Amino acid sequence: MNRKTPMPRGTAAGFSPGPDDAWEREARRRHTHTGLHRRRLRLSGMRTRLFVGFAAVALITAAIITASSYFLIRDALLSRVSSNANTQLIADVQENGQQLQQSSSGQTDVQIADAMAKNGSGGVVVVLITPHGTSASNSQFSAQNIPKAFQVAALDQVVQQRTVVNGTPYLLTGTQIQPNGPQVYLFTSLDAEQAILTELVTIGALSGGLALLGAGGVAFLATRNVLVPIRRLGHAARMLGQGNLDVRIEVKGTDEIADVALTFNETAEALARSMAELRAMDAASRRFVADVSHELRTPLTAMTAVTEVLEDVEDADPTTVSAAHLIANETKRLARLVEDLMEISRFDAGTAAMRIEDINLPELVEATLATRGWTSKVTVTAPPMLATRIDARRMDVVIANLVGNALKHGGEPVALSVFDDDAFVVVQVADSGPGIPAEALPHIFDRFYKADKARGRSEGSGLGLSIAFENARMHGGELSAGNRPGGGAVFTLRFPKGVLGEASTAPDDPVLGPATEPGNLGRLGVKT
């Protein structure tokens, strides 16, 4: 299949225009008003998952780089400070050690401590422990700032340890000049190094924030390239489900999304071809039924007249009379089947007309029962007056089918109830039979369906309930079937009191002829 060319401006994004622009506009209007076009926030959606994934990668990478840089730089800074402090201590001991050993007072020790502190870099404090006591270049420092364990370790060698004095970090370096001699301790400030590390952490946090923003932008662009085609595909699928078989998706690129779009277009084209074939077959079958029914009307009329003559023959032998009755019954049954098929064909072709009148429904019910001789068999519960706007002939067909079905396949007594339900009218027909099997309920209004498979040669055609269902639908109502808790089937017809609009002006069907004329109550008889 050739790939679609880019769409011209003004068409729906991602879709090629179909032949039925009005239908497509209406579909889009329904799509807009039902809220299907709104992009709802999905916390578990693809965009959220990709954003979380990209953000996690960015944050983890920034954290790893910052942490590794922090520890490497910290070790390098501490190593440098430690080396400098160790070198300074050794140099101070070599330069001032003899003088310190010969010191005769604590004042001299303080002067030596000041001299040692000046030899070092800024932030160095020297503390001396001599026989004269503790002397320091900074009066805020004393022997109490030096841990006892550290003093013991410093008796044998030069030792170092990080410590905090008055909230400031220091590197403490100490040793003893001679056995039982003066002890020298250097406090080297780590403020500068701490500032460098704090700045590094700040830079790492800012880098992580920038990385997070960048990850969000990348995730948005990445998901846009994926989600926009998916949304178009979803929109196209909804339009396809609504019956627009001309919808297509514009194929861009050669990636997996393009393959999906191409597959969708191929599927839509195949579905359109299949639906066209099915519609053609359905139209042909309906036309065949209509043609056959129309062609049978004339010979059936002649056959009915002949059978009526044969039934009136008085001097015929019993065999001839029996055969005449059989032929007459079968001819009438065939005539009713043809009438039913023609009515069904009118429904399918959309040519079934309605003649709306102001009718008192209880009177119509009584007339329907009286015409068929069912007045004594059916118990009617109805108000004396219930005004409705209906097609009297079609409503007569519905009631006759329901009552006849109850009498034939249900059982007496049969109860017919009519009552007012605000803007609607409800008609219920209940019998006292075994009820409708559960497996038959979903198909009870299907054409040619018979719940009792053993009655394949019954008088009914299996079209009566389907015709009643279509007539109820034409009145804007609904017909349902069920079983009563105490036993027996119940059919419920519910329709508005006033049918919307006036009588249908559907044109006459060229094959079926004019629509059935109103006013002929009971013409179709009982169809079960």
Side-chain angles (χ1 to χ4, degrees), residues 43-107:
L43 297 180
S44 60
M46 182 182 296
R47 173 163 290 173
T48 302
R49 293 199 300 268
L50 284 178
F51 177 78
V52 172
F54 277 94
V57 170
L59 291 178
I60 291 174
T61 302
I64 291 175
I65 294 175
T66 302
S68 59
S69 301
Y70 178 88
F71 288 109
L72 290 175
I73 294 176
R74 186 194 65 175
D75 292 343
L77 292 175
L78 289 178
S79 177
R80 185 190 67 180
V81 173
S82 175
S83 177
N84 292 340
N86 187 62
T87 302
Q88 180 184 351
L89 179 62
I90 294 174
D92 288 342
V93 169
Q94 290 177 353
E95 181 179 351
N96 302 295
Q98 185 176 1
Q99 183 182 357
L100 183 60
Q101 290 179 357
Q102 297 173 357
S103 173
S104 58
S105 65
Q107 184 65 32

Side-chain angles (χ1 to χ4, degrees), residues 30-46:
R30 293 197 303 268
H31 174 69
T32 300
H33 285 284
T34 54
L36 295 175
H37 71 294
R38 298 169 186 167
R39 300 179 182 178
R40 296 173 294 176
L41 177 62
R42 298 183 178 91
L43 297 180
S44 60
M46 182 182 296

Side-chain angles (χ1 to χ4, degrees), residues 333-334 336-341 344 401 408-409 446-450 455-467 526-528:
R333 180 175 180 273
L334 183 58
R336 286 195 296 269
L337 175 60
V338 170
E339 288 290 340
D340 289 348
L341 290 175
I344 289 293
N401 273 283
K408 184 178 298 183
H409 304 295
D446 293 351
R447 298 173 183 179
F448 297 105
Y449 182 81
K450 297 181 181 180
R455 60 182 182 93
R457 280 293 301 159
S458 64
E459 293 184 3
S461 63
L463 292 174
L465 290 178
S466 62
I467 291 176
V526 181
K527 314 297 189 303
T528 57

Side-chain angles (χ1 to χ4, degrees), residues 351-357 389-392 394 474-475 499-507 518:
T351 59
M354 291 184 65
R355 188 65 59 88
I356 304 300
E357 303 175 76
R389 284 183 54 78
I390 56 177
D391 185 320
R394 294 190 179 278
M474 289 185 68
H475 283 82
V499 177
L500 299 179
E502 296 299 327
S504 172
T505 57

